[in-house]
Amino acid sequence: MAEAGDEAGAEAEQRTAYTQRLRAAVHFTVGCLCEEVGEDKQMEFSKQTIAAISETTFRQCENFAKDLELFAKHGKRTTINADDVKLLARRSKALQNFIKNKCDELATNNAEQKGKKTGTAGKGKKKSDGHIEPTVTENEDITND
């Protein structure tokens, strides 16, 4: 009996440590972004502001994860798919368009790869296309609360 309690305690401790690492990573990334924006806009962000943005971001990501799980469950699936992500992004027109374009791009690339596999067996070199940064303005986001 004591072993089961020890295992549960160790698992909870491991989960807490993992969550703390994720929070630290989000905080670091938000700090870097605030620094970059601050340099660009010639302004500074206080440590409290960065912490508040970090915490809000982390909580929103937790909500996104829960929503994605529920969307998949509603569809009687155990795997989250692109349609779930599209549904999640429905309130931000810019994000919705970006995700739709990425999905279309991936579908095209997959179709091309399948065509190449059937046509040229053994010469499977992968092409790496550059990362495209989305341009999103405040005006493009909509909320339907």
Side-chain angles (χ1 to χ4, degrees):
M1 277 264 186
E3 286 181 23
D6 290 345
E7 284 182 31
E11 188 176 311
E13 195 174 303
Q14 190 175 17
R15 195 176 316 116
T16 300
Y18 183 68
T19 300
Q20 287 174 340
R21 285 195 306 273
L22 283 174
R23 282 184 191 275
V26 169
H27 184 79
F28 175 77
T29 303
V30 167
C32 291
L33 289 169
C34 286
E35 187 177 316
E36 189 178 312
V37 169
E39 288 173 3
D40 187 46
K41 303 288 185 187
Q42 295 156 354
M43 59 188 293
E44 288 186 29
F45 291 86
S46 70
K47 289 182 181 182
Q48 293 85 359
T49 301
I50 293 171
I53 294 170
S54 298
E55 183 62 24
T56 303
T57 301
F58 189 82
R59 287 184 184 181
Q60 188 63 44
C61 287
E62 285 181 320
N63 290 336
F64 286 164
K66 288 174 186 172
D67 286 348
L68 288 168
E69 286 179 29
L70 290 172
F71 295 157
K73 187 176 181 179
H74 180 74
K76 296 177 179 46
R77 293 177 276 107
T78 57
T79 304
I80 294 168
N81 64 25
D83 288 335
D84 298 325
V85 177
K86 288 177 188 175
L87 183 59
L88 181 72
R90 70 192 180 279
R91 291 191 176 138
S92 170
K93 197 69 168 168
L95 183 58
Q96 192 175 31
N97 289 336
F98 178 77
I99 290 172
K100 181 188 178 307
N101 291 338
K102 273 296 178 192
C103 287
D104 292 346
E105 181 182 317
L106 286 171
T108 302
N109 288 344
N110 287 341
E112 289 174 3
Q113 289 297 324
K114 284 182 181 179
K116 286 182 181 178
K117 282 184 182 177
T118 57
T120 58
K123 295 184 180 179
K125 288 189 177 180
K126 290 185 177 179
K127 256 188 177 179
S128 156
D129 59 341
H131 176 70
I132 301 170
E133 288 291 327
T135 304
V136 179
T137 62
E138 294 86 20
N139 297 341
E140 293 174 327
D141 289 340
I142 57 171
T143 56
N144 297 328
D145 292 354

